[in-house]
Amino acid sequence: MFWKFDLNNTSHIDQLLDREGVTLRELMEEEDVLQECKAQNRKLLLFLSKDHCMQELVTLITEEPPADLEEKTRFKFPNIACELLTSDVALINDKLGGDESLLEKLYHFLEQEPPLNPLLASFFSKTIGNLIARKTDQVISFLRKKHNFISLVLNHIDASAMMDLLLRLISCVEPALLRMEVLNWLNEERLIQRLTELMHTGRDEERQSNASQTLCDIIRLSRDQANQLSEVTEPDPLLTVLESQENVSELLKNMFEGERTEASVVNGTQVLLTLLESRRSGLEGLMDLYSQGFERSYTVNSSILRAIEPHLKDFQQLLLNPPTRSAILTTVGVLEQPLGSARLHVARLVASLLQTCDLSICQEICRLNTMDLLLDLFFKYTWNNFLHLQVELCVASILNHSAHSDHQNPGLQNHEERPATAHLDILCCFSMFVVCLFLLLADCSFSTFISRAEGGRRRGNMGHLTRIANTVVQNLEKGLAHSQINDLIKELPEDCRGRWEGFVGETLRETNRRNTVDLVSTHNLHSSSEDDDMESPFPNDLSIQQVRNLFISCSAAFDRIAEINFNIDANAAAFEACCKERIQQFDDCEEEEDIWDEKEINYATQIKSRSRYNPGWTASFSETEVSSSSAWGGSPQQEGEGPQDTNWASFTEFQPFSR
């Protein structure tokens, strides 16, 4: 039994601590030193909190280990030291946060010339971050006395650990009053402006990337914390600067001043996209746009839009003349001129700007023919689904704006009020684009796309193009602006209208039918067999509504399982007998028996066949029948017979779901 085993293992650390002259390195060689520390081993904690031990631990995480050590073990002790210092033990936190000489030794790490060792930088950042959360008053007071603290951190921003340290200062300071003091201090140090300056095209790409990510994280953290506050206090000074027109203009200037590199465009656009975040991105944002319109929108400060508007022409030029990229080999062949991250981010920015429903922005995008250019790229890069999604979002935004003309620009904040027809004006701005879209779709047919595909494969943009076409049709049939859209079609030549009607009535209808039935047909293929007389529950020709009704009826059938009446009390005796057959009681008399030895367990085969679904049946366990045959084929082996297992299951006894 369990008392046969000695589970009381005494740690070797206690024995070492009893020995005179034990060193910190000897303790750190023990595998369970961290475990004992977190388990509040009093003798160990008292030893670690001694002055010479704390000094040595801080030295390990701030000074490079000897270069002649084996690389595999070179950072072993620095890693253990960091884990001990951040083990969240009160005695260690108090010693480290209350001793200014230790804090000075930590701070000296920042005074080194870049680049920092990335591993040591992570140890330093983790240790300081833990102190910010646990010994907030002492550490913040110490750092505020260091007038060059922010400068040193930004000097090492190429190390991602420094980015984490800044975010700790913003997110881990409590209470709210102290947090606001820290935010004001960081604002006085011009943290946002200095991070924005790092976005200049001439800066190192690693610095640009980390500065961009830091700005994005500050935006999200500040907005999340503002939403969580029960009482609205003074506004977040960092977020106020980030959303100001002056700062956004400076960011755009740094992006486009000098040589336009892909890194500067991508990193700068990431910040703009974060500032414009009003919905969930990607497919979830698209579904919100389709189903809920503006109901889930968040406010976007109009100063951001006013700063971006003059630079839309610069983004247009990026679509026409992107930064040079070399050819790449893809699964569909060599791509001589890749789309590139810069143009993809421009497409994302245009989609986000259109979702704000700002008339001035839409007019400028329309004047520049940006949507026509994006549509050209849509068909040029037929396998870039990231681009296809952004173009689809753009089209959905243009058409859905008009469907909510009774809203008063809810996507904007601090913006002048517009009449209820503002969204219809947006449709008017893009009327030529909408007409071109109609003509494009009318000239497309399912067979044409199949014939254009290399090797008979369906092109990668077909799914998005089908959804775009369905969006157009839905806006023609319903919505407050369906009359305006129908008027645009009426202005088309008669042959164009005929092609459009043929596309909707034949090509699009057939495409939707195939998309709906393909999955069901696959099910029929796998479920049918020559000796199965069960009729397939799925017809070969179903409309979307018919498929919905079919799944609703199936769900209703499963819901009736709740009507089953399980009479547990009446079957208690049968249940008890069944358990006794399968559970062997421990015999304490057999002292020599090892309970961990593997034993052969035989289960009697008990199967009662019945229909898998029969409305109105009641479950009863009062009778237990033992079947002579198994549903998995064959009969139980008789004594003396050889192996009969064929490793194949027989499903002939299972009944299908009733229709």
Side-chain angles (χ1 to χ4, degrees):
M1 301 306 292
F2 288 105
W3 50 84
K4 291 183 181 180
F5 304 96
D6 183 11
L7 302 178
N8 185 20
N9 295 324
T10 304
S11 173
H12 187 55
I13 289 179
D14 290 334
Q15 301 175 15
L16 287 175
L17 290 170
D18 290 336
R19 197 183 73 192
E20 190 173 346
V22 64
T23 65
L24 178 63
R25 294 295 181 100
E26 288 179 301
L27 290 172
M28 295 174 71
E29 288 282 4
E30 295 297 318
E31 293 182 356
D32 58 344
V33 62
L34 181 59
Q35 178 183 345
E36 289 294 313
C37 180
K38 291 183 176 181
Q40 305 283 335
N41 185 319
R42 186 65 180 174
K43 291 168 63 176
L44 176 61
L45 294 181
L46 289 174
F47 182 85
L48 292 176
S49 60
K50 291 181 179 180
D51 290 342
H52 72 278
C53 288
M54 294 297 296
Q55 290 284 343
E56 187 174 354
L57 288 172
V58 173
T59 300
L60 283 170
I61 67 170
T62 56
E63 295 183 7
E64 287 270 358
D68 57 348
L69 291 178
E70 187 181 357
E71 192 64 30
K72 184 173 63 175
T73 59
R74 189 171 175 225
F75 289 95
K76 173 185 176 181
F77 288 117
N79 180 56
I80 296 174
C82 176
E83 293 299 322
L84 290 172
L85 290 172
T86 59
S87 58
D88 204 15
V89 174
L91 190 60
I92 294 179
N93 289 339
D94 293 341
K95 183 66 176 180
L96 187 57
D99 191 333
E100 192 156 331
S101 64
L102 293 174
L103 292 176
E104 287 285 355
K105 193 173 185 65
L106 273 171
Y107 186 80
H108 180 67
F109 178 77
L110 290 175
E111 297 175 340
Q112 303 177 58
E113 289 296 321
L116 296 174
N117 181 295
L119 200 53
L120 291 180
S122 67
F123 295 155
F124 166 82
S125 176
K126 184 177 181 180
T127 304
I128 289 289
N130 179 71
L131 289 176
I132 290 173
R134 301 304 180 192
K135 308 297 293 182
T136 308
D137 290 327
Q138 296 94 320
V139 176
I140 294 298
S141 176
F142 173 81
L143 294 178
R144 293 187 67 173
K145 295 176 185 176
K146 303 294 184 180
H147 300 295
N148 60 344
F149 171 67
I150 298 299
S151 300
L152 290 175
V153 172
L154 295 180
N155 192 38
H156 298 295
I157 198 66
D158 54 320
S160 59
M162 296 300 106
M163 173 179 68
D164 297 336
L165 177 57
L166 288 174
L167 297 177
R168 282 275 187 173
L169 281 171
I170 295 171
S171 61
C172 295
V173 176
E174 295 292 343
L177 184 60
L178 181 57
R179 177 180 175 273
M180 188 56 65
E181 290 181 10
V182 172
L183 294 179
N184 286 324
W185 164 51
L186 295 176
N187 190 43
E188 291 169 4
E189 293 288 333
R190 304 184 74 252
L191 174 63
I192 300 302
Q193 293 88 334
R194 293 159 83 172
L195 285 170
T196 303
E197 176 60 29
L198 291 173
M199 304 295 295
H200 197 278
T201 54
R203 298 287 185 177
D204 176 73
E205 289 189 9
E206 194 68 27
R207 288 174 171 272
Q208 283 186 28
S209 177
N210 285 348
S212 170
Q213 187 61 51
T214 304
L215 290 171
C216 293
D217 289 341
I218 291 175
I219 294 169
R220 294 189 179 104
L221 281 172
S222 299
R223 288 177 175 174
D224 289 345
Q225 290 184 340
N227 292 333
Q228 292 171 4
L229 292 176
S230 56
E231 297 180 1
V232 179
T233 57
E234 55 182 306
D236 188 317
L238 299 182
L239 185 59
T240 301
V241 173
L242 271 165
E243 293 182 335
S244 67
Q245 185 171 345
E246 178 184 3
N247 189 73
V248 178
S249 298
E250 185 65 23
L251 172 64
L252 289 159
K253 177 185 174 183
N254 293 335
M255 288 172 56
F256 293 110
E257 195 173 64
E259 182 182 359
R260 300 178 183 180
T261 62
E262 184 167 83
S264 63
V265 172
V266 170
N267 292 322
T269 307
Q270 285 279 16
V271 179
L272 297 176
L273 289 169
T274 308
L275 287 168
L276 292 171
E277 277 182 353
S278 57
R279 294 182 179 87
R280 290 174 291 178
S281 59
L283 186 59
E284 290 183 347
L286 181 65
M287 299 310 296
D288 281 348
L289 190 64
Y290 283 157
S291 61
Q292 300 176 20
F294 295 98
E295 294 176 8
R296 293 179 63 90
S297 296
Y298 299 95
T299 57
V300 176
N301 198 313
S302 63
S303 60
I304 302 171
L305 301 176
R306 301 288 74 79
I308 294 176
E309 187 175 346
H311 290 273
L312 285 175
K313 61 182 184 298
D314 297 318
F315 288 106
Q316 175 84 352
Q317 282 301 311
L318 283 171
L319 292 176
L320 295 170
N321 300 302
T324 305
R325 290 176 61 94
S326 56
I328 60 174
L329 179 63
T330 69
T331 55
V332 292
V334 177
L335 194 58
E336 296 294 342
Q337 187 182 12
L339 177 71
S341 296
R343 287 197 285 187
L344 177 60
H345 276 73
V346 172
R348 292 180 60 193
L349 181 64
V350 173
S352 295
L353 289 170
L354 288 174
Q355 289 179 24
T356 64
C357 194
D358 181 79
L359 182 58
S360 181
I361 289 286
C362 292
Q363 287 175 335
E364 182 65 11
I365 293 175
C366 184
R367 186 186 69 81
L368 294 170
N369 293 323
T370 305
M371 282 307 305
D372 293 341
L373 184 53
L374 286 176
L375 207 56
D376 290 339
L377 295 174
F378 180 94
F379 288 102
K380 180 178 180 180
Y381 296 96
T382 56
W383 300 103
N384 195 319
N385 288 156
F386 298 106
L387 172 66
H388 304 158
L389 175 60
Q390 300 308 318
V391 175
E392 185 183 351
L393 284 168
C394 291
V395 174
S397 295
I398 293 171
L399 295 175
N400 280 295
H401 284 167
S402 56
H404 299 273
S405 60
D406 55 334
H407 289 267
Q408 292 290 334
N409 245 4
L412 296 177
Q413 181 185 19
N414 303 327
H415 199 275
E416 64 271 15
E417 292 188 2
R418 300 188 183 278
T421 58
H423 300 295
L424 295 179
D425 292 339
I426 293 174
L427 181 63
C428 294
C429 291
F430 289 100
S431 58
M432 288 304 298
F433 167 75
V434 175
V435 171
C436 292
L437 184 62
F438 288 147
L439 294 175
L440 173 68
L441 294 174
D443 288 336
C444 294
S445 67
F446 190 80
S447 59
T448 302
F449 274 104
I450 294 298
S451 64
R452 288 180 183 176
E454 297 87 351
R457 289 177 298 181
R458 171 174 154 148
R459 286 180 176 262
N461 57 5
M462 274 297 296
H464 290 280
L465 188 60
T466 301
R467 287 212 300 241
I468 289 174
N470 284 323
T471 302
V472 174
V473 173
Q474 289 169 11
N475 280 271
L476 280 169
E477 297 174 350
K478 60 183 179 180
L480 297 176
H482 71 278
S483 58
Q484 288 83 358
I485 300 178
N486 277 286
D487 289 342
L488 291 175
I489 294 184
K490 291 178 182 178
E491 295 176 2
L492 296 175
E494 186 175 349
D495 62 328
C496 293
R497 292 200 305 271
R499 292 201 305 274
W500 168 256
E501 293 171 358
F503 167 76
V504 174
E506 298 175 8
T507 304
L508 185 59
R509 182 179 180 183
E510 173 65 12
T511 303
N512 289 333
R513 189 193 69 82
R514 293 194 182 201
N515 291 341
T516 303
V517 174
D518 277 349
L519 186 59
V520 177
S521 299
T522 303
H523 170 84
N524 292 341
L525 177 64
H526 290 284
S527 62
S528 61
S529 60
E530 293 182 0
D531 59 344
D532 190 358
D533 58 354
M534 180 181 70
E535 182 183 354
S536 171
F538 299 106
N540 290 328
D541 188 4
L542 291 175
S543 67
I544 295 178
Q545 188 58 43
Q546 287 173 323
V547 172
R548 289 176 180 169
N549 294 338
L550 180 60
F551 279 103
I552 290 173
S553 63
C554 290
S555 299
F558 279 103
D559 289 341
R560 298 198 61 184
I561 293 177
E563 300 174 7
I564 298 175
N565 178 24
F566 289 96
N567 190 348
I568 301 298
D569 294 333
N571 298 281
F575 178 76
E576 181 109 5
C578 184
C579 291
K580 287 181 178 179
E581 286 184 11
R582 289 162 173 75
I583 300 178
Q584 296 180 357
Q585 300 295 330
F586 287 113
D587 188 357
D588 292 341
C589 296
E590 299 178 3
E591 296 184 0
E592 298 303 323
E593 181 184 4
D594 191 344
I595 64 170
W596 305 111
D597 283 347
E598 293 185 1
K599 295 180 174 59
E600 183 179 357
I601 300 175
N602 294 320
Y603 293 97
T605 306
Q606 296 188 1
I607 296 175
K608 184 173 181 179
S609 186
R610 62 171 176 80
S611 174
R612 297 184 68 182
Y613 175 70
N614 184 11
W617 68 273
T618 302
S620 175
F621 298 97
S622 58
E623 297 180 2
T624 304
E625 296 183 5
V626 179
S627 176
S628 60
S629 62
S630 170
W632 297 96
S635 58
Q637 294 181 18
Q638 302 296 326
E639 226 179 11
E641 292 183 3
Q644 300 293 326
D645 188 7
T646 61
N647 295 326
W648 289 98
S650 174
F651 296 91
T652 56
E653 295 187 33
F654 287 91
Q655 299 297 323
F657 287 104
S658 60
R659 295 180 56 192

